[in-house]
Structure formats: structure tokens, C-alpha cells
Amino acid sequence: MSAGDAGQDAHFDLSPDFSFMMWNPVESLFSEALKPFIIPLAGLLVGGVMMQMSSVSTVGKLVLYFGAQSFMNIYMGWVMRTSVTVPAGTELDNGTVLEVNLTGCPAGFALTAMQQVISFIVFCCLFAAVYPTPYRYMPKRLNSAFEVFAVIVFGCVFALNIALNNFSLGYMSIGL
């Protein structure tokens, strides 16, 4: 390459490691495992703050819901991608030996059942903790068979939605 051509091709020899772009505050503050949780945690924080202001409390509930759902989806995806199902060195039925760990947990419905049980336990603890306070939560009494039926159908559809979300997380990555 002649001296006259060096100017037009010089940008190909530059590395972004030696520029102002090398400083990444997110990378310096958080590990690779925590990076996907930044947006959901921000949603939880912003939604919680917005709920304290009466003028934007409804929007705050939506932001809080977005943060919570995003957090749970990313967490479940992480659980399903990082758990070692079959370790390297295992001999298979056909005689071949695995060279790498098989990761993933194709158990979306079982994880959903665990999520539902844990959520119920957390709700019961919260219910018991706030019962003696002025912030007591009292569920609405169901007065008709249709209301009972509607709650049961809604609960089943909601649980199925979560189960299908968890099932799909085993097959696609949503990491940032």
C-alpha cells in the first residue's frame, strides 16, 4: 500500500478499544450474568416510584407489571439455559461420549408449577404480614356460581399462559 492510500484505509486499522467508546459504565458495574436484568429492575423501580404519585399511579402499575414479567421471563430463560442436564463425559446408549455439557431444562410446565407454588407461599406470607396493619388485604367475596367459574377459568388460563411462556423460553434466547 502506498502512502497515498494509507489515509483512506486507515480506519480499518483502528480498534474501538482505544477510543472513548472503550469505557462502558454498565460493563464496569455489572457482570455478564446481571446485564439482562437491568431493564426489568429499572421497570420495577420506576413503576414503584410512579405508583406513589396519584397522577400516574395507573401507568405506574403497568410499568411495574412490565418490570416484573420481564424479570421473571429473563430469570426463567436463564435457569433453563444454564442448568446442566447431561454433563460432558457421559456415555450415551449408542456408545458415543458427550464432549460438552448439555444445558437446558425443557420443563416449562414443571417450572410453572413451582412458580405458582412459590408465588402462593409469598402471597400468604405477605397477606399474614399486612393483616394486623391498616393495609389489610381482604379479597372480594364471590357471590354467584358464575363468579366462581370465571375466577377458576381466569386462573387456569393465566397459569397456562405462564406455562407456555416458560415452555417457549427453553427453545429461544431472550438475553440482551
Side-chain angles (χ1 to χ4, degrees), residues 46-132:
V46 170
V49 169
M50 290 174 72
M51 285 182 56
Q52 304 307 313
M53 297 179 264
S54 61
S55 62
V56 290
S57 71
T58 302
V59 176
K61 289 176 185 174
L62 291 172
V63 172
L64 187 70
Y65 179 78
F66 165 77
Q69 289 298 311
S70 298
F71 183 87
M72 188 57 75
N73 276 341
I74 290 172
Y75 174 71
M76 285 291 112
W78 178 80
V79 167
M80 290 185 198
R81 276 191 315 277
T82 59
S83 60
V84 176
T85 308
V86 182
T90 303
E91 186 173 341
L92 301 176
D93 292 338
N94 64 3
T96 60
V97 177
L98 290 177
E99 296 177 13
V100 295
N101 290 333
L102 289 181
T103 60
C105 181
F109 294 102
L111 281 170
T112 301
M114 288 189 300
Q115 275 183 295
Q116 296 296 317
V117 170
I118 291 169
S119 296
F120 182 72
I121 291 169
V122 169
F123 173 76
C124 288
C125 292
L126 179 67
F127 185 82
V130 299
Y131 189 79

Side-chain angles (χ1 to χ4, degrees), residues 8-21:
Q8 93 180 40
D9 294 328
H11 64 278
F12 292 113
D13 296 327
L14 295 178
S15 170
D17 295 336
F18 301 110
S19 70
F20 71 93
M21 296 172 66

Side-chain angles (χ1 to χ4, degrees), residues 65 69 109 112 116 148-166:
Y65 179 78
Q69 289 298 311
F109 294 102
T112 301
Q116 296 296 317
V148 172
F149 173 75
V151 167
I152 290 171
V153 167
F154 177 77
C156 290
V157 168
F158 189 73
L160 185 60
N161 176 37
I162 294 171
L164 291 173
N165 283 341
N166 287 340

